[in-house]
Amino acid sequence: MSRILAFIFRRRGHGRGWHWTDIATWIWLIGGTILMFGPALWLVASSFKGPAQLAEFPPTLLPYVQQTAMVEGYDAPLPLYTTTQEDGSTKVLAEIRRIGVNSQMVDPGNPGERINVNIADRSPVREIGLATGNYVEPLVKNNFLRFLWNSVFVTVMATLITLFTNSMAAFALSKYRFRGRDGVMLLIVATLMVPLSVILVPLYSVVNAMGLLNSLWGVILPTVATPTGVFLLRQYMLTIPDELLEAARMDHASEWQIYWRIVLPLAAPALAVLAIFSVVWRWNDFLWPLIVLSQREHYTLQVGLNTYAGELNVQWHYILAMTVVTMIPVILVFLFLQRFITTGIAGAGIK
Amino acid sequence: MAGLGETLGRAAAWPFTLVARAVDPPLRVWQRWTGTGGMAAVFLAPNLAIFGVFVLIPLVLNFVYSMTGGTGILLDQRPFIGMEQYGRLLECEDYTRRITCREDQFWTAVTNTTGFVIFQVTLMVVVSLITALILNRNIRGRGFFRAVFFFPVLLSPVVVGLIWRWILQREGLLNLIAVNLGLEPEIWLNDRFYAFAATIGVSTWAHMGFYTLILLAGLQAIPRDLYEAAEMDATPPARVFWRITLPLLGPNFAVVLVLALIRSVQIFDEVYVLTGGGPGTSTLYLTQYIYEVGFASILRNPGLAAAASILMGAVLVVLTLLQLRLSRRAEGRRAR
């Protein structure tokens, strides 16, 4: 163990032994790791707890479920409790029903005799287990399956359209000389200054006039012409040598074919980065869908979650589970594609 | 297996290939007719159309809305009232007391946002800089730790808000820690000060990884031999930081500062889910004010919301121009 630790904490280079800054570094890194992952892990652990367990304080770290047993003469499984007898010994009994502060119980080994126990004298028998109903019920009974589908639809469509329109614009801006090119670039730069929160009211009225309120397209279309996407792709396409295009023109390729068959495949790495960005952006969008979508069947996951979490009696066991569902695609992106994003940001300084 | 993946990829691309082939003949005709310049227009058209409809037109309309009154969203139902909305936003009997303002909620939002921006940006820059400096050291598992700090950046604001609401609630994790440390449990988000602090902490938690990456890229661009030279001269580390690291990091640092400012001014999503602007109005920030006045409240007033958003937009334009200037300077330095 100590050799492993020595290996992990070994300082490279100087070999002057430990300096206080090394200790500070590791405290920061390990503390940071706990702080960055801890809250999400706590959420996942909590999402498998039943409602009764969620209301407990102090909370337990792991999810437990109450054990039940089939008792002769009863149709449904009965919950098990440990009860304290008058002589101080304990016994496991199954509860039939609760009447006020008393619980009517039965010994699973001797189902004939009913015993009355004060609820203060009993405690549930629990084992580690997952309350998977948290996940199943909102997806099946409430509209969360619908929300999930809406989110997937918005994300996929918006990303596809973003890739096409942005790559076409980037191609024109990187490979053609035409009058007004600088003007167009300036226009696109200028739109960087107009974030959504500044044009909420008029954008709503434009979307309204187009009949796109309460439609997923009303969520998708205003988001797809991202200036960052055009920039990213243009920067990359500038590195594609013009000779390649010229050679294709010699072979009588049309401009459209040059874009489709030559430039797009060569720009694949930049397209991949933009696709990842776009998926994360559109999956996470909140304010605009909140404004455009007012009917429940059109909600995306983010809006649906916010609505259910804003109710007077928050059903945390459902909310937590659905939050985890909402996190899944992003966690997949993080696990498999994180390197693309971090290099993309470091290279372009964008988000 | 690679063969299978490729086949699947081809199958998924198939409809697009079909479309691309179908549009080629008409585009060839167009190309012969207009030349390559006409093709540039074709390639630009979809993106510019979307820009035009969903950014430029709303931008112009925003001014129209801010100068009209009434509660309707359709423009023909809105009478022209000139600068009245701006007057309403900015009018106060006594400018030292918020409560005397005609639209005191707006001033509350402005004050809250100012406080938020000052504390959050400071915290953000300091924490990201420390993390970037640490990640720039020769440590084992640098890639792993870089990813660790980036993880929350990917989470949706709604998820971020809910994660922390769950931790800060009465039976939550923070109270568990507080009780174990012998402190009194609190309902953190019901307290004005703690709720304000929570919005700052949570939004920093969620975004610091992004700024850390930009700063780290800047740090890694600083030539190593400068540090080696400093070491030869036995320069104290603090001096190395102030004389080498910070000046050479300057442009990236400025970009981070301005980007953080721009985003901080517009804060909405996480805070809305976390506190809903409460308790009372103690975490009501500008974007939420605009949203509520424009859409959510019973007495909705799109004109007032538009006027408020234009005032916020003016601040953002100044900040963005600053950013573009700074990042151009950063690029210039890198090129040299």
Side-chain angles (χ1 to χ4, degrees), chain A residues 13 51 60 86 120 135 137 146 148 156-157 180 194 212 219 225 227 302 315:
Chain A
T60 52
E86 275 164 25
Y135 284 82
E137 281 157 34
R146 180 87 216 170
L148 184 64
V156 171
M157 281 300 164
V194 192
L212 292 177
V219 175
Q302 314 288 346
Q315 295 187 295

Side-chain angles (χ1 to χ4, degrees), chain B residues 84-244:
Chain B
E84 209 173 284
Q85 306 280 22
Y86 295 94
R88 184 171 162 187
L89 280 180
L90 300 177
E91 189 186 314
C92 294
E93 270 172 33
D94 174 358
Y95 281 92
T96 55
R97 290 189 307 142
R98 221 157 58 204
I99 203 78
T100 64
C101 296
R102 214 171 137 198
E103 201 50 48
D104 62 322
Q105 287 278 63
F106 174 71
W107 288 99
T108 304
V110 169
T111 321
N112 288 348
T113 310
T114 312
F116 177 82
V117 168
I118 291 171
F119 287 109
Q120 195 243 19
V121 172
T122 312
L123 183 66
M124 182 79 91
V125 168
V126 169
V127 173
S128 321
L129 183 61
I130 293 176
T131 312
L133 284 170
I134 283 178
L135 288 177
N136 195 38
R137 296 180 61 141
N138 264 330
I139 45 164
R140 224 152 248 292
R142 176 153 69 184
F144 169 76
F145 286 112
R146 196 176 61 180
V148 164
F149 287 98
F150 190 70
F151 170 67
V153 178
L154 293 174
L155 294 179
S156 90
V158 176
V159 169
V160 168
L162 288 174
I163 284 180
W164 285 96
R165 225 173 107 182
W166 179 241
I167 288 175
L168 297 171
Q169 58 128 6
R170 199 178 46 199
E171 290 91 12
L173 193 59
L174 190 62
N175 273 339
L176 179 67
I177 295 169
V179 167
N180 279 329
L181 294 175
L183 301 168
E184 280 293 300
E186 284 263 0
I187 306 179
W188 302 95
L189 295 176
N190 280 6
D191 180 282
R192 298 175 71 91
F193 171 74
Y194 289 131
F196 179 67
T199 62
I200 291 170
V202 169
S203 58
T204 307
W205 177 83
H207 299 296
M208 62 156 288
F210 172 67
Y211 301 105
T212 301
L213 278 185
I214 300 180
L215 290 175
L216 185 60
L219 286 175
Q220 287 176 340
I222 299 176
R224 290 271 147 202
D225 38 352
L226 282 178
Y227 289 108
E228 279 160 23
E231 202 169 342
M232 296 270 217
D233 296 343
T235 319
R239 207 180 151 114
V240 172
F241 175 75
W242 291 110
R243 289 288 166 83
I244 300 178

Side-chain angles (χ1 to χ4, degrees), chain B residues 6-7 32 38 47 55 63 110 142 159 167-168 178 186 227 249 257 275 288:
Chain B
E6 202 170 301
T7 319
R32 204 162 302 151
N47 215 56
V55 180
F63 290 96
V110 169
R142 176 153 69 184
V159 169
I167 288 175
L168 297 171
E186 284 263 0
Y227 289 108
L249 190 60
L257 188 66
T275 67
Q288 190 184 340

